[in-house]
Amino acid sequence: MHKLEFFFDCSSPWTYLGFESLQQMAARHPDLEISYHPFLVGGVFNTVNPSVYASRENPVIPKQRYAKKDLQDWAEFVGIKIIHMSELPVFPVNSVKAMRGAFVAIEKGCIVPYARRVFERYWSEGGDISQTDVLEGIVADVGLDKAEFFEKINDPAYKDMLKDNTTEVIERGGYGTPTMFLDGGDMYFGNDRFPLIEAKIGGK
């Protein structure tokens, strides 16, 4: 049996693509053990990858144009709708509450529908996932208890879990989202690495 750790932040469209690609791969490999690790990609950028901010401030225009096309090509390939970040009401979005909430979803056994709804609400519908009313809708959609959810995401213990995962992915060599680790130490980064992972676990 193989184990895959999926470190993710829902504020990234490429992570939405990676998340859905992971679900498709998991369906082909029901014996693959998957664990989900929410973290804050902004904390990673601040610590080890500040070049992301520099590229946003001074973009390479031809690369920027192509990246928009590339994102839509991937979205069509994976089978989801993604609004380009330039067309969103707010970008980048503060995902801290949503990502703390992912720990509640993990506890309740609904991390896949929760994460999917967070991704969809922001990247497919343009909802601001930093806002309480938007999170309330997500919580209702996946059947979580609203009072418990909001109590926990304001609990220092849940804040610490998110910080700890952010520190962990940095210490293990990560520099962005999504970052995956196969069987402990075999790291992969990006939404397009799933064919390589699948080859390792015995796929096509």
Side-chain angles (χ1 to χ4, degrees):
M1 177 179 289
H2 293 279
K3 298 180 180 180
L4 186 70
E5 300 164 86
F6 185 75
F7 283 78
F8 71 106
D9 185 332
C10 291
S11 66
S12 158
W14 304 102
T15 306
Y16 186 11
L17 292 164
F19 174 82
E20 292 297 344
S21 295
L22 173 59
Q23 306 316 310
Q24 294 170 13
M25 186 181 76
R28 297 188 293 271
H29 299 273
D31 58 340
L32 177 64
E33 182 180 328
I34 301 169
S35 59
Y36 293 88
H37 303 264
F39 76 100
L40 280 183
V41 74
V44 174
F45 292 161
N46 291 340
T47 305
V48 297
N49 193 10
S51 64
V52 171
Y53 301 128
S55 66
R56 287 177 185 171
E57 292 176 4
N58 297 288
V60 177
I61 300 304
K63 182 178 180 180
Q64 187 180 56
R65 282 197 298 264
Y66 177 74
K68 187 173 183 178
K69 172 191 181 297
D70 192 37
L71 183 64
Q72 294 308 315
D73 287 344
W74 272 106
E76 182 178 352
F77 179 74
V78 173
I80 58 177
K81 174 186 175 182
I82 292 183
I83 301 170
H84 190 264
M85 53 278 284
S86 65
E87 299 165 356
L88 286 168
V90 57
F91 178 83
V93 70
N94 184 339
S95 63
V96 63
K97 292 180 181 179
M99 299 319 295
R100 288 180 197 156
F103 291 102
V104 183
I106 289 168
E107 291 174 354
K108 300 299 181 181
C110 64
I111 184 56
V112 171
Y114 173 82
R116 175 174 281 143
R117 188 64 188 123
V118 174
F119 279 123
E120 183 180 56
R121 189 72 184 87
Y122 183 50
W123 290 108
S124 300
E125 300 171 7
D128 183 351
I129 58 171
S130 71
Q131 299 302 307
T132 297
D133 61 331
V134 174
L135 287 175
E136 286 177 344
I138 292 168
V139 166
D141 288 343
V142 300
L144 290 170
D145 181 85
K146 183 173 73 172
E148 180 182 6
F149 178 89
F150 284 99
E151 179 182 357
K152 286 185 171 180
I153 67 171
N154 289 300
D155 187 317
Y158 288 77
K159 296 178 183 180
D160 287 344
M161 284 191 281
L162 192 59
K163 291 176 184 175
D164 290 345
N165 274 4
T166 304
T167 298
E168 180 182 348
V169 76
I170 292 169
E171 291 178 344
R172 294 175 69 180
Y175 55 91
T177 178
T179 297
M180 292 77 67
F181 296 94
L182 180 63
D183 297 332
D186 190 9
M187 190 181 93
Y188 297 85
F189 169 73
N191 72 291
D192 56 350
R193 297 305 192 260
F194 288 94
L196 299 178
I197 295 171
E198 191 160 18
K200 285 284 184 75
I201 65 177
K204 294 180 180 179

